Amino acid sequence: TALEGWGKVAKRVLDMAGAVVGLTVLSPVFVVAAFAVKWETAGPVFVRLKRVSRNREFDLIKFRSMVKNAEEIKASLAVFNERKDGPLFKMKDDPRITNIGRFIRKYRIDELPQFWNVLTGDISLVGPRPHQPDEISRYRKHHKKVLAIKAGAAGLAQVSGSSDLPFEQEVALDTFYVENWSLWLDLKVIAKTIFKIFTDKSAV
């Protein structure tokens, strides 16, 4: 990929700087969100979700936006999956989402703890979407190109339509990113992500 040598060093420096700034500046939001999640329903404040980055499984950290036993319920909701074009799961009115969960998803607050995953090196600020191990097990050969580099908290596919994109188009965008990486492209995706947070409320 284009991400070799000094490019890899520069990307890691950007990741660490962005993660430190994000965790520091947004710490008041973390406190309020943690209190709200804990106040509404029983269960942990954070959830650890199994994801894959560069063929390595890790725990992606998010604020809990669903009921405590959400994963156990997921199998019974499979018939309502709106994504018929690939291995991903999407349900617009998912009954597992709590009231607070719906709010923090709308403003992407549930994803803020991923700054910790960026700081520890599990993922980058920008990269292909980190998918679940069971989803990746159903990837076709050309889908696996997106595993060539670290997954990202934000990505070219996310700022281009996110889960509204057909799966093949999402893979095509992430593959383009892998093959044409540059620090300038990362900065553009970060800027578009910030803009999308304030203008697009389709996360729910």
Side-chain angles (χ1 to χ4, degrees), residues 95-153:
R96 299 174 298 166
I97 302 176
T98 64
N99 291 327
I100 292 297
R102 200 167 298 279
F103 178 84
I104 63 177
R105 281 183 170 218
K106 182 177 181 180
Y107 294 97
R108 271 73 173 187
I109 295 171
D110 63 314
E111 299 180 7
L112 294 182
Q114 292 180 46
F115 279 121
W116 180 255
N117 288 115
V118 174
L119 186 63
T120 58
D122 294 323
I123 59 176
S124 291
L125 284 174
V126 182
R129 183 195 297 271
H131 286 154
Q132 297 175 199
D134 63 310
E135 294 170 344
I136 289 178
S137 68
R138 299 196 295 276
Y139 274 15
R140 296 180 183 177
K141 185 176 180 180
H142 67 283
H143 297 157
K144 295 182 179 180
K145 289 182 180 179
V146 302
L147 301 175
I149 64 175
K150 282 184 185 179

Side-chain angles (χ1 to χ4, degrees), residues 35 98 125 132 188 193-194:
F35 174 80
T98 64
L125 284 174
Q132 297 175 199
K188 285 173 64 177
T193 300
I194 295 171

Side-chain angles (χ1 to χ4, degrees), residues 147-182:
L147 301 175
I149 64 175
K150 282 184 185 179
L156 191 58
Q158 287 98 311
V159 299
S160 303
S162 191
S163 59
D164 293 327
L165 292 175
F167 181 66
E168 288 295 336
Q169 189 174 347
E170 179 181 331
V171 171
L173 285 165
D174 282 337
T175 301
F176 175 87
Y177 174 82
V178 170
E179 295 175 347
N180 298 274
W181 174 87
S182 70

Side-chain angles (χ1 to χ4, degrees), residues 19 79 93 104 134 184:
V79 293
D93 296 314
I104 63 177
D134 63 310
W184 174 240

